[in-house]
């Protein structure tokens, strides 16, 4: 892709940027963000969850751009800042991809960027990203996502063991788990009749060597897409840049991921939105990614469904979708698990906000914030996608009123870890269909949300 | 009004507002006035930092405010340190903690929050950072004469390194000397009990509570 021609430039910035110790970089971020929040008059008042103010979205973009320009990205491996001028950033942003075909054959999917209130449907990514899946359940659980007809693409979970052995990072077992992930995911896709569907991978690759290995011939394919994360806040390292280098040279589709922390160095909801904008801009600068994902995280619940975070997601997506060509992605990361209505309500709040704000793709659901092994199923991902379809084209004012009615349905559950049930208790293991109890909750939630304005079909 | 009372409120405000410069000036003035350092710790630093920690736990304030308050408190400590060294009776720390994210894991904001919360609640904390090898935890714990080794992992595949350290401490016979406190996204209390860790913190608030129990505070 034309935006992927900058590898040497990126590595040069990594090697030759100004040196700084990490604590000083953190202080720079911590000090500058509240100043930018004040300067650009970004304010979360608490009563509205979906931003409807275009001017504030544009100011948030300007604040984020300024932070990106001033801070750059910190490379923790060599204690240098990777920096670009404003002009260089803007010149790079304008060449970011606005559409791409992922997957192959009958399962090829054309995804595209979206604007706020865009009537077109977002791309739906189903999968338990970041969630530990017991090895013996990996195939059925993943099949439960691949078989969802709403899935345009699927992202895998993390296999707990490999051939019954404990898996640990930076070891041969981790490399083997990357291959095992590919074998099982491709099998699950085939079993579901979706052989060509694009897969988000390599989710067992915490280290670079596993990413490289499982992106070799015979494992994941060039029609799949690959995750590279940013370290919070605004940091990277050699290991992540090793992934970038390999994936660029092997012509893979790159997907970036950033999870800034609410209440952390960026402060509250306003600072969170600014650092998210800066982070996603810088992910284009350092990784040349095709799609840009975010999942701001609560410091105690680890979810992204608390009201200030929902607001921040909406504002930052609007800021970027109004001012850049980026294809933006939002991960739904709820506290609830399968067989709880909580997970459905939380998914509805995030999917509605993201869709009307201009997200190009909805990803998830990372049920129980990924904490409880095997507490994941395709049904909550279907629901997440269906809400996205229902919210496409909706005015943000209406979405705000809907989200305001959804949030009280789960707010008191956020600190309760409502993990619900493990997959075999939520799905029939022979038919791989949701058990009646789980399906009933899903039907009831759809009916409830339809009554408040989400036209769930 | 006693000499201490005159300066107490100003010191509290300086800490709360994270005003390092003002905190230093006031601490110097306190030393010149001959104020007992333990009074400054007990009546100013400890309660204000504990309050900041409580407010952060409720997200009424955010990490930057807590960090600034902690930095102001450190500035006061720097001024008082020579006086304290001369008076061994003054106890300024609940205990020493080393903390880090275990090998193979670069996620550290959660760990940083725990470290800061321990610090503002009266512990001396040495942060080893991210991707810390098992042996580095033990080496540093010995050098630092730590009471608690706190480990975090956000990855299932890094959790085995937590167990390695718990086992290593048992193997070297130092499990009475160092308490192990663990946490992180996929870590549960059940797993902590299964591997023989001394304590588990679901979040920063719980980690502080458990750490206090460990040192009998």
């Amino acid at each position: 892709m034309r935006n992927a021609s900058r590898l040497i430039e990126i590595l040069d910035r990594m090697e030759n940027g100004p040196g700084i110790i990490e604590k000083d970089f953190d202080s720079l971020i911590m000090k500058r963000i509240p100043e930018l929040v004040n300067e650009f008059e970004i304010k979360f008042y608490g009563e509205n969850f979906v931003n409807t103010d275009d001017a504030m979205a544009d100011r948030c973009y300007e604040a984020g751009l300024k932070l990106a320009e001033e801070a750059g990205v910190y490379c923790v491996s060599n204690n240098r800042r990777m920096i670009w001028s404003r002009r260089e950033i803007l010149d790079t942003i304008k060449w970011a991809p606005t559409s791409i075909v992922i997957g192959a054959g009958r399962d090829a999917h054309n995804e595209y960027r979206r604007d706020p209130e865009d009537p077109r449907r977002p791309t739906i990514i189903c999968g338990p990203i970041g969630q530990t899946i017991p090895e013996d359940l990996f195939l059925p659980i993943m099949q439960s996502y691949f078989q969802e007809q709403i899935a345009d693409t699927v992202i895998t979970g993390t296999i707990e063991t490999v051939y019954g052995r404990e898996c640990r990072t930076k070891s041969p077992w981790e490399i083997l788990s990357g291959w095992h992930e590919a074998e099982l995911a491709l099998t699950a896709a085939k079993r579901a009749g979706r052989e060509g569907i694009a897969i988000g991978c390599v989710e067992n690759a915490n280290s670079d060597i596993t990413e490289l290995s499982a992106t070799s011939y015979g494992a994941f394919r060039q029609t799949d897409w690959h995750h590279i994360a940013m370290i919070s806040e605004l940091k990277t390292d050699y290991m992540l840049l090793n992934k970038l280098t390999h994936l660029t040279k092997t012509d893979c589709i790159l997907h970036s991921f950033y999870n800034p922390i609410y209440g952390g160095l960026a402060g509250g909801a306003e600072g969170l939105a600014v650092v998210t904008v800066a982070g996603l801009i810088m992910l284009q600068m350092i990784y040349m990614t095709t799609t840009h994902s975010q999942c701001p995280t609560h410091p105690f619940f680890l979810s992204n469904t608390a009201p200030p975070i929902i607001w921040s997601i909406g504002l930052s997506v609007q800021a970027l979708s109004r001012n850049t060509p980026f294809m933006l992605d939002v991960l739904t990361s709820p506290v609830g698990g399968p067989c709880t209505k909580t997970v459905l309500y939380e998914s509805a709040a995030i999917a509605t906000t993201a869709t009307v704000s201009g997200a190009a793709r909805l990803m998830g659901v990372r049920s129980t914030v990924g904490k409880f092994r095997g507490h994941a199923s395709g049904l909550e991902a279907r629901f997440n996608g269906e809400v996205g379809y229902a919210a496409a084209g909706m005015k943000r004012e209406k979405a705000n009123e809907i989200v305001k009615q959804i949030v009280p349905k789960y707010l008191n559950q956020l600190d309760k870890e409502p993990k619900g049930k493990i997959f075999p208790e939520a799905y029939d293991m022979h038919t791989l269909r949701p058990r009646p109890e789980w399906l009933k909750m899903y039907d009831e939630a759809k009916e409830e949300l339809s009554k408040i304005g989400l036209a769930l079909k | 009004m006693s000499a201490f009372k005159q300066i107490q409120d100003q010191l509290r405000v300086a800490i709360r507002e994270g005003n390092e410069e003002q905190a230093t000036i006031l601490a110097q003035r306190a030393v010149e006035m001959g104020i007992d350092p333990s009074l400054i710790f007990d009546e100013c630093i400890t309660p204000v930092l504990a309050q900041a920690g409580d407010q952060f736990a409720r997200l009424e304030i955010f990490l930057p405010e807590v960090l600034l308050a902690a930095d102001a408190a450190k500035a006061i400590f720097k001024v008082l340190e020579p006086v304290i060294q001369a008076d061994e009776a003054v106890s300024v720390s609940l205990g020493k903690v080393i903390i880090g994210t275990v090998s193979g894991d670069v996620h550290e904001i959660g760990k940083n929050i725990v470290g800061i919360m321990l610090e503002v609640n009266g512990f001396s904390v040495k942060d080893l950072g991210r991707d810390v090898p098992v042996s580095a935890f033990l080496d540093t714990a010995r050098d630092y004469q730590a009471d608690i080794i706190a480990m975090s992992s956000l990855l299932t595949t890094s959790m085995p390194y937590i167990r390695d350290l718990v086992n290593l401490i048992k193997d070297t016979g130092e499990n009475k000397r160092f308490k192990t406190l663990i946490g992180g996204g996929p870590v549960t209390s059940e797993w902590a009990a299964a591997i023989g860790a001394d304590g588990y913190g679901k979040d920063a608030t719980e980690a502080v509570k458990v750490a206090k129990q460990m040192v009998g505070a």
Side-chain angles (χ1 to χ4, degrees):
Chain A
M1 298 187 84
R2 69 179 79 230
N3 76 314
S5 62
R6 300 172 37 251
L7 181 62
I8 302 296
E9 172 202 315
I10 292 165
L11 300 184
D12 275 342
R13 302 295 164 113
M14 170 196 80
E15 213 57 64
N16 302 312
I20 184 172
I21 63 164
E22 190 167 2
K23 196 179 175 206
D24 290 347
F25 181 79
D26 288 343
S27 297
L28 186 157
I29 304 283
M30 200 172 81
K31 182 171 174 290
R32 195 65 183 113
I33 290 174
E35 290 170 356
L36 290 167
V37 165
N38 285 334
E39 182 184 341
F40 288 92
E41 297 174 16
I42 299 161
K43 185 69 191 163
F44 172 53
Y45 293 100
E47 68 264 30
N48 291 315
F49 301 156
V50 180
N51 175 60
T52 56
D53 181 349
D54 283 344
M56 183 148 68
D58 293 346
R59 293 199 302 273
C60 183
Y61 170 73
E62 286 300 327
L65 180 61
K66 206 163 184 181
L67 180 64
E69 181 192 347
E70 291 178 9
V73 173
Y74 186 68
C75 180
V76 299
S77 302
N78 65 356
N79 309 108
R80 290 185 183 277
R81 283 164 58 209
M82 301 168 70
I83 53 171
W84 283 267
S85 70
R86 185 184 184 92
R87 180 178 174 168
E88 288 172 322
I89 292 171
L90 293 175
D91 279 349
T92 302
I93 286 176
K94 75 180 178 192
W95 291 110
T98 56
S99 70
I100 190 168
V101 175
I102 54 172
R106 296 178 305 160
D107 291 305
H109 171 72
N110 179 26
E111 61 175 308
Y112 42 79
R113 70 172 304 281
R114 292 177 71 253
D115 291 313
E117 301 171 11
D118 200 317
R120 296 172 300 169
R121 289 170 166 177
T123 290
I124 305 302
I125 309 167
C126 296
I129 172 180
Q131 189 150 14
T132 305
I133 308 292
E135 191 177 2
D136 59 340
L137 293 179
F138 195 81
L139 198 52
I141 287 181
M142 287 316 305
Q143 193 175 332
S144 82
Y145 292 95
F146 281 109
Q147 72 190 11
E148 287 300 338
Q149 294 177 64
I150 201 166
D152 297 309
T153 170
V154 165
I155 189 158
T156 59
T158 306
I159 308 174
E160 187 173 40
T161 53
V162 54
Y163 302 107
R165 275 75 163 184
E166 183 176 84
C167 181
R168 58 174 69 199
T169 49
K170 298 200 285 191
S171 78
W173 295 112
E174 191 198 48
I175 297 177
L176 200 56
S177 77
W179 278 86
H180 205 34
E181 174 191 331
E183 291 155 5
L184 293 176
L186 292 168
T187 303
K190 195 169 183 176
R191 283 191 185 179
R194 305 290 305 272
E195 204 166 351
I197 193 170
I199 300 173
C201 58
V202 179
E203 293 306 306
N204 283 261
N206 294 306
S207 66
D208 45 5
I209 188 66
T210 300
E211 183 77 42
L212 270 61
S213 180
T215 313
S216 311
Y217 179 77
F220 285 109
R221 310 151 300 184
Q222 282 177 317
T223 50
D224 298 320
W225 47 279
H226 296 255
H227 233 124
I228 316 183
M230 176 176 263
I231 301 169
S232 299
E233 306 297 348
L234 301 179
K235 294 172 190 172
T236 187
D237 65 9
Y238 279 171
M239 198 165 73
L240 293 163
L241 292 161
N242 288 345
K243 289 185 184 183
L244 164 75
T245 305
H246 175 78
L247 295 170
T248 303
K249 296 309 289 181
T250 49
D251 201 23
C252 287
I253 301 166
L254 300 178
H255 170 84
S256 60
F257 180 75
Y258 182 33
N259 66 321
I261 309 298
Y262 171 61
L265 292 178
E270 299 91 344
L272 190 66
V274 171
V275 83
T276 303
V277 170
L280 296 184
I281 289 171
M282 292 317 286
L283 282 168
Q284 180 60 232
M285 299 308 297
I286 63 167
Y287 296 155
M288 306 179 292
T289 46
T290 303
T291 47
H292 304 72
S293 184
Q294 64 161 292
C295 180
T297 300
H298 193 282
F300 305 124
F301 310 148
L302 306 180
S303 65
N304 66 356
T305 58
I309 302 179
I310 294 174
W311 178 86
S312 169
I313 289 171
L315 182 66
S316 57
V317 171
Q318 289 174 37
L320 288 162
S321 60
R322 284 176 54 80
N323 293 282
T324 72
F326 289 176
M327 289 193 277
L328 301 160
D329 179 332
V330 174
L331 166 63
T332 300
S333 184
V335 297
C339 295
T340 68
K341 280 193 180 174
T342 300
V343 71
L344 303 177
Y345 298 141
E346 291 179 277
S347 299
I350 295 293
T352 302
T353 304
T355 302
V356 302
S357 295
R361 32 164 59 191
L362 304 180
M363 180 158 66
V365 171
R366 184 167 63 190
S367 307
T368 73
V369 297
K371 188 175 177 73
F372 292 96
R373 54 194 287 280
H375 285 249
S377 80
L379 190 61
E380 59 264 31
R382 183 199 304 174
F383 188 85
N384 194 53
E386 286 174 335
V387 171
Y389 279 12
M394 186 182 285
K395 295 289 178 201
R396 280 167 287 170
E397 287 79 2
K398 182 180 176 187
N400 181 45
E401 292 309 315
I402 290 172
V403 174
K404 279 165 72 175
Q405 291 180 72
I406 295 171
V407 168
K409 291 175 184 285
Y410 68 77
L411 201 55
N412 68 354
Q413 292 294 302
L414 290 179
D415 61 350
K416 307 274 191 314
E417 296 189 339
K419 64 181 179 180
K421 295 189 173 176
I422 195 166
F423 185 77
E425 295 170 9
Y427 268 53
D428 182 311
M429 291 298 283
H430 297 292
T431 63
L432 285 188
R433 300 292 160 193
R435 291 187 185 278
E437 172 202 0
W438 185 203
L439 207 51
K440 184 167 175 279
M441 288 183 187
Y442 162 84
D443 287 337
E444 286 172 356
K446 278 177 84 166
E447 197 179 331
E448 283 174 48
L449 298 184
S450 293
K451 283 179 186 162
I452 60 171
L454 267 176
L456 287 159
K457 293 176 181 140
Chain B
M1 186 184 275
S2 71
F4 175 63
K5 284 286 176 197
Q6 283 174 20
I7 211 163
Q8 180 186 23
D9 289 344
Q10 291 170 291
L11 268 169
R12 285 181 163 190
V13 170
I15 300 167
R16 195 175 301 125
E17 293 180 350
N19 189 337
E20 226 175 295
E21 197 182 329
Q22 182 69 2
T24 304
I25 293 167
L26 290 167
Q28 283 163 344
R29 198 181 301 160
V31 170
E32 285 161 14
M33 291 162 76
I35 291 169
D36 180 355
S38 66
L39 270 177
I40 296 174
F41 276 95
D42 294 346
E43 303 297 327
C44 300
I45 295 177
T46 305
V48 175
L49 290 185
Q51 187 190 25
D54 290 346
Q55 286 181 299
F56 177 65
R58 296 190 296 270
L59 290 173
E60 292 166 1
I61 62 171
F62 302 117
L63 200 58
E65 287 103 307
V66 183
L67 277 169
L68 289 172
D71 284 347
K74 278 181 199 164
I76 295 172
F77 181 74
K78 206 171 165 185
V79 175
L80 300 182
E81 204 171 9
V83 186
I84 293 164
Q85 280 171 349
D87 181 1
E88 289 177 359
V90 178
S91 172
V92 297
S93 171
L94 291 181
K96 290 182 176 178
V97 181
I98 62 157
I99 188 167
T101 305
V102 293
S103 191
D105 194 345
V106 297
H107 300 88
E108 65 167 349
I109 291 223
K111 176 268 295 173
N112 290 348
I113 291 171
V114 173
I116 291 160
M117 289 287 272
L118 285 166
E119 205 165 352
V120 299
N121 278 281
F123 287 90
S124 302
V125 178
K126 189 173 185 68
D127 189 343
L128 303 184
R130 61 177 84 81
D131 194 11
V132 181
V134 167
S135 58
F137 275 101
L138 187 52
D139 283 346
T140 312
R142 287 171 178 167
D143 291 346
Y144 190 56
Q145 297 184 309
D147 300 295
I148 297 169
I149 300 175
M151 293 164 272
S152 164
S153 171
L154 195 72
L155 305 172
T156 323
T157 46
S158 282
M159 285 167 57
Y161 295 108
I162 293 181
R163 192 188 54 221
D164 285 356
L165 182 53
V166 170
N167 287 339
L168 181 63
I169 293 169
K170 282 182 201 156
D171 290 347
T172 59
E174 290 165 291
N175 51 326
K176 294 274 184 280
R177 182 175 168 194
F178 305 123
K179 299 283 184 193
T180 49
L181 172 59
I182 70 172
V187 178
T188 61
S189 57
E190 292 81 13
W191 190 75
I195 65 164
D198 296 306
Y200 161 77
K202 185 181 81 167
D203 54 31
T205 309
E206 196 174 290
V208 171
K209 199 172 145 192
V210 174
K212 282 184 174 175
Q213 286 165 357
M214 284 176 170
V215 296

